[in-house]
Amino acid sequence: MLDAFGRITFARELTAPDQSRRSLARAASAGSAERLARGAYLPTSVWAGLDAREKYLHRIVAVASTRRNPPVISHISAAAVWGPPALGDWPPEVHTTIPPNAAAHSRSGVIQHKAALSGVDLVELGGLRVTSLPRTIVDLATTESFACAIVAADRALLVDRFGPRPAMTTRDELEAAWERAVPRRAHLRAIAVLRFAETRAESPLESISRVTMRTIGVPRPSLQVPHYDTAGFIGEPDFYWPEHGLIGEADGDAKYLDARFRNDRSSDEVVLDEKIREDRLRALPRTVAGWRWKAAISPALLGRQLTDAGLPTGQKWQ
């Protein structure tokens, strides 16, 4: 990973006569360079072409490369390195973990967490010292919102049912990382995240929808259940409540806009295929409720849709 960030200019490496720390600072003030960390800069022309995660990764690499001792990247910063999506914006600070007896100095865009890490919880990834993915998920579960932690945990556990890609980790590995981390603050909240996470939630939108369903108290749905009619296989809807004859679909934009999900189809063809699929589901017969992000994050909106479709509320998820 460090090799892929060679466009970062480090003040300690300046050799040209016309270059200095002061010249880099002037470039940042003038808007022609982005200051990533103390003594680390990136041309604004490069910075502008990066997406949010790439920008955050550049900050992480800059911090890791400018510390006297290589830090252990952890928490939400380790999640950025591993790849599980974030809910909301990536933070401006880089999170690291230091030994319990070390003096913590959270400053200059770095937040330090004190914790003991066993050997299995620490790995090298792309030249960075990073907490293992199971430990990273456990840390997220203790410091981030329940929803944010579930988005990451669901992605880490996701099993690709249509291809050879294995899950990034397993529930057993997550629980083992949790046991190694106990006792620690918020350990009960962390185990709640691990028990709620699923292997069949295929997008952050589905994960957030499930968190909101838990808040509403509707019955817990089955995920990705195959449906058939006389013509054969229809598909695997996101959510299914067989006892209520209800299918739920969390409808994001990726299936229409992202080429990875279109399978060489145009956006118009995807829309038509989705319409045919939904018509076949409704003909089973089933009630089909669909929603987008605005409803997924709102207990009031999603609750109204699901109760109008016949689901009771007031149930507590185990």
Side-chain angles (χ1 to χ4, degrees):
M1 177 176 292
L2 294 179
D3 293 341
F5 292 84
R7 295 167 295 185
I8 299 176
T9 298
F10 295 100
R12 67 171 184 269
E13 297 174 350
L14 297 179
T15 57
D18 60 338
Q19 291 182 327
S20 65
R21 287 181 177 270
R22 187 168 298 177
S23 67
L24 290 176
R26 285 197 299 266
S29 298
S32 60
E34 178 74 19
R35 184 179 184 273
L36 304 179
R38 185 177 181 181
Y41 297 82
L42 189 72
T44 302
S45 58
V46 176
W47 178 258
L50 303 177
D51 63 27
R53 177 171 173 258
E54 290 170 338
K55 288 178 178 178
Y56 190 45
L57 287 174
H58 275 74
R59 291 199 186 279
I60 292 169
V61 170
V63 166
S65 302
T66 53
R67 294 307 184 266
R68 181 177 294 105
N69 298 311
V72 175
I73 307 300
S74 63
H75 296 75
I76 192 68
S77 302
V81 175
W82 282 105
L87 179 61
D89 298 329
W90 295 103
E93 304 89 3
V94 174
H95 290 250
T96 66
T97 291
I98 61 176
N101 58 352
H105 300 288
S106 294
R107 59 174 182 265
S108 300
V110 178
I111 294 178
Q112 296 180 328
H113 303 265
K114 289 187 176 185
L117 294 173
S118 66
V120 71
D121 292 325
L122 180 61
V123 301
E124 182 175 314
L125 193 64
L128 296 172
R129 297 177 72 210
V130 185
T131 50
S132 69
L133 181 58
R135 178 56 187 250
T136 298
I137 299 298
V138 170
D139 286 340
L140 290 178
T142 63
T143 57
E144 302 294 323
S145 69
F146 186 81
C148 178
I150 289 299
V151 167
D154 279 357
R155 176 61 186 85
L157 289 172
L158 176 63
V159 175
D160 185 356
R161 294 167 291 120
F162 304 107
R165 185 184 64 196
M168 298 175 72
T169 188
T170 66
R171 199 177 301 278
D172 287 346
E173 290 173 340
L174 289 178
E175 292 184 355
W178 176 83
E179 290 175 357
R180 288 191 297 271
V182 173
R184 62 174 299 171
R185 292 166 55 186
H187 65 278
L188 293 180
R189 187 173 70 185
I191 198 63
V193 168
L194 304 191
R195 290 172 177 169
F196 186 85
E198 291 279 2
T199 62
R200 286 177 168 246
E202 296 185 331
S203 72
L205 178 56
E206 293 177 35
S207 299
I208 292 303
S209 296
R210 219 169 69 257
V211 171
T212 304
M213 291 173 195
R214 174 180 179 261
T215 301
I216 299 166
V218 298
R220 193 165 188 161
S222 299
L223 309 185
Q224 313 297 341
V225 175
H227 281 65
Y228 302 85
D229 60 11
T230 55
F233 178 69
I234 302 173
E236 299 180 347
D238 301 328
F239 307 101
Y240 182 42
W241 292 268
E243 65 275 22
H244 298 280
L246 176 63
I247 287 170
E249 294 275 58
D251 194 11
D253 294 332
K255 68 175 70 175
Y256 307 107
L257 303 178
D258 195 324
R260 294 174 299 171
F261 301 103
R262 296 206 311 257
N263 296 322
D264 297 323
R265 297 173 295 168
S266 68
S267 295
D268 289 341
E269 289 172 328
V270 174
V271 171
L272 179 59
D273 289 346
E274 286 297 308
K275 177 65 167 60
I276 293 172
R277 174 178 176 272
E278 183 174 318
D279 288 345
R280 291 175 67 190
L281 289 172
R282 292 183 185 278
L284 287 179
R286 297 283 190 274
T287 301
V288 179
W291 58 86
R292 300 176 73 82
W293 268 103
K294 183 177 180 180
I297 62 176
S298 169
L301 292 177
L302 187 58
R304 188 176 307 122
Q305 282 192 251
L306 295 180
T307 54
D308 287 350
L311 290 186
T313 60
Q315 300 192 23
K316 186 175 181 179
W317 290 25
Q318 299 299 319

